[in-house]
Amino acid sequence: MRGPAAAVPWGQVARFTVVGGVNTVTFYACYLPLHRLLPYFAAYTAGFALSLVGSFFLNTYFTYRTRPTWKKFLLFPLTQVTNYAVQSAGLVTLVSWLGMNSVAAPLVAALLALPVTFVVSRRILRPPRRPDGASDQPESPPARSGRPA
């Protein structure tokens, strides 16, 4: 009998983590210069918005290996609203309540938001099959027999 851990898509979790790292570097590369010009929360918001589109395409193609659609693109910000809310709460808590440095705090807040963001993004970008069995997932390549064609 297989337990609940067997249902966890570990390959997707690993790819999601890689994409999260790339997205975090992209965000941080935007945040640091803006942090010199703007208050930390405004710089955070601008950096977050700038990295949104890249995150959509990386997660669509690489993490979940599915086709991007306009519907997913329009729904994807909902995943980021969740991510933004969790990260924002973490950022304010870390900086204002716990006194953490505002340069490092966004990285810690991003780590804290990772599990919630994975669950929400998977639901949006890889929805369950429809009752008619149709899906927008790419078709698997045909199985290869050991014989030449």
Side-chain angles (χ1 to χ4, degrees):
M1 181 172 182
R2 301 180 86 174
V8 175
W10 291 111
Q12 288 177 4
V13 171
R15 291 188 303 269
F16 183 80
T17 302
V18 169
V19 168
V22 170
N23 196 47
T24 299
V25 168
T26 301
F27 156 77
Y28 209 53
C30 296
Y31 174 77
L32 285 177
L34 292 171
H35 183 264
R36 294 180 182 183
L37 304 171
L38 303 169
Y40 76 91
F41 198 77
Y44 168 80
T45 301
F48 194 94
L50 291 170
S51 64
L52 180 70
V53 174
S55 179
F56 170 74
F57 285 108
L58 285 172
N59 277 298
T60 301
Y61 285 119
F62 181 67
T63 301
Y64 301 111
R65 298 182 178 169
T66 186
R67 292 183 205 127
T69 64
W70 282 108
K71 180 180 178 182
K72 289 177 189 175
F73 184 75
L74 295 173
L75 288 174
F76 188 71
L78 295 176
T79 70
Q80 297 305 300
V81 166
T82 302
N83 189 21
Y84 182 79
V86 173
Q87 283 193 35
S88 296
L91 178 67
V92 170
T93 299
L94 291 168
V95 173
S96 298
W97 295 0
L98 300 177
M100 182 178 273
N101 180 296
S102 63
V103 172
L107 298 175
V108 175
L111 287 175
L112 295 173
L114 190 66
V116 175
T117 305
F118 174 77
V119 169
V120 175
S121 69
R122 186 171 197 271
R123 180 78 174 137
I124 295 283
L125 296 178
R126 217 166 147 96
R129 289 190 178 272
R130 299 188 306 246
D132 64 2
S135 174
D136 71 337
Q137 306 311 319
E139 303 227 357
S140 299
R144 296 183 67 146
S145 64
R147 301 178 304 209

